[in-house]
Amino acid sequence: MTPTHFNNFTRTAIATVLLACGAHAALADQFDEIKKAGKVRVAIAIGTPLFSYADANLQPAGSDVDTATELAKDLGVKLEIVPITTAARIPTLQAQRADLVISSLSITEERAKVVDFSIPYSAITIMVGAPKDMKIASYADLNGKRIGLTRATTNDQLTTKEAKGAEIMRYEDDATLITSVVTGQVDIFSSTPSNMGEINKRAAGKNFEMKFSQLDSGLGITMNKGEPKLKEWINAWVNTNIKSGKLNAIYKKYHGRDLPTNVVKPV
């Protein structure tokens, strides 16, 4: 073999090895890494009543916590909850500090540009609430008024876009928002019916009510992009448990009603 032929052979061999390594890397998936580690790290914002909160024993509870528990069990691994703030849900995932986010994260086009969502496993109603004697029927009625909401949520995006004349007070999590309403820092809020229930429980006599619905939104189990095997397994898991009624039972246990079938349905 001449030196030229040898060099060509060597370059071809190296290229073949690199191609094989690249193909192996492309086939690698976080799903395999989770199975190998024997645990799945799930980021949950423990401050969203009914979805995720600390119970009387200061243990994580709620529909998202139960969902994460069932998912880990069916995946055959241990669950490690990564406690976060609402605003840190996507950044925590992108920083590889969690494998998944199960934390009342609405599926939106904007978020889908940077992360992947499963098919909807749950749902959330976003609404504007205020005392019963306050007349508010639309975004226009919020002009010149102060409204509280949780930062980096769909509530924040919608209200910022539609209520341009309002003064928006942003809080780091739902628990802080609830406290601000209960203590009278704000009287109007953009949140969920479950959070309004918590507000009325803690502020008896103020009679907060839903003024108008902003959106019924599907919630997705969230993962980083480029994880096809993980996404395929999660979508199959969600679909199976929607069909079996398990995810509906979890939702009903905490929220007192069935999942909205116009948002969450088997495929």
Side-chain angles (χ1 to χ4, degrees):
M1 183 182 289
T2 66
T4 302
H5 286 151
F6 178 78
N7 288 336
N8 287 339
F9 174 80
T10 303
R11 282 195 295 270
T12 303
I14 291 171
T16 303
V17 170
L18 289 174
L19 241 135
C21 289
H24 177 73
L27 289 172
D29 193 280
Q30 197 170 8
F31 178 85
D32 299 315
E33 295 171 5
I34 290 168
K35 295 290 282 184
K36 185 178 179 180
K39 70 176 180 181
V40 59
R41 300 170 301 158
V42 179
I44 304 178
I46 307 295
T48 309
L50 305 188
F51 286 99
S52 49
Y53 58 93
D55 66 14
N57 297 315
L58 300 181
Q59 296 301 306
S63 56
D64 278 344
V65 175
D66 280 13
T67 298
T69 300
E70 291 298 322
L71 182 145
K73 184 172 71 175
D74 291 344
L75 190 53
V77 297
K78 292 181 180 179
L79 170 65
E80 178 184 323
I81 292 177
V82 180
I84 54 169
T85 62
T86 301
R89 290 175 295 181
I90 289 177
T92 298
L93 191 63
Q94 292 176 318
Q96 305 289 335
R97 292 195 294 270
D99 304 307
L100 303 170
V101 175
I102 303 178
S103 190
S104 58
L105 196 57
S106 297
I107 301 168
T108 67
E109 288 184 11
E110 193 66 26
R111 287 171 177 160
K113 293 175 183 177
V114 294
V115 294
D116 269 351
F117 288 102
S118 70
I119 58 175
Y121 74 96
S122 188
I124 193 166
T125 297
I126 299 169
M127 45 145 278
V128 168
K132 192 171 184 177
D133 58 3
M134 192 174 285
K135 293 183 179 179
I136 296 172
S138 68
Y139 287 111
D141 296 327
L142 298 175
N143 287 338
K145 295 183 173 65
R146 177 183 292 183
I147 180 168
L149 49 77
T150 303
R151 186 187 306 278
T153 58
T154 304
N155 312 56
D156 192 351
Q157 295 169 2
L158 277 173
T159 307
T160 300
K161 180 183 177 183
E162 302 293 342
K164 296 188 183 300
E167 179 188 358
I168 299 175
M169 306 296 293
R170 293 177 174 85
Y171 299 92
E172 291 304 316
D173 54 41
D174 286 354
T176 310
L177 169 64
I178 289 168
T179 298
S180 75
V181 178
V182 170
T183 57
Q185 296 175 50
V186 290
D187 289 325
I188 307 168
F189 56 90
S190 170
S191 194
T192 65
S194 56
N195 282 344
M196 186 175 69
E198 184 66 18
I199 289 167
N200 278 326
K201 192 190 302 180
R202 291 169 54 184
K206 288 196 174 182
N207 296 318
F208 286 92
E209 66 176 12
M210 182 192 295
K211 295 302 181 178
F212 63 92
S213 173
Q214 295 175 271
L215 182 70
D216 280 322
S217 180
L219 306 180
I221 296 174
T222 316
M223 65 212 85
N224 279 313
K225 285 188 172 293
E227 301 294 346
K229 192 173 179 181
L230 180 62
K231 184 175 181 179
E232 182 181 6
W233 187 90
I234 290 174
N235 275 338
W237 182 84
V238 172
N239 197 43
T240 296
N241 287 282
I242 289 292
K243 286 180 177 178
S244 72
K246 182 183 284 185
L247 285 170
N248 187 69
I250 288 173
Y251 186 83
K252 195 168 185 177
K253 172 184 174 182
Y254 290 95
H255 301 269
R257 58 193 177 101
D258 291 322
L259 284 166
T261 54
N262 64 317
V263 176
V264 181
K265 52 190 174 184
V267 294

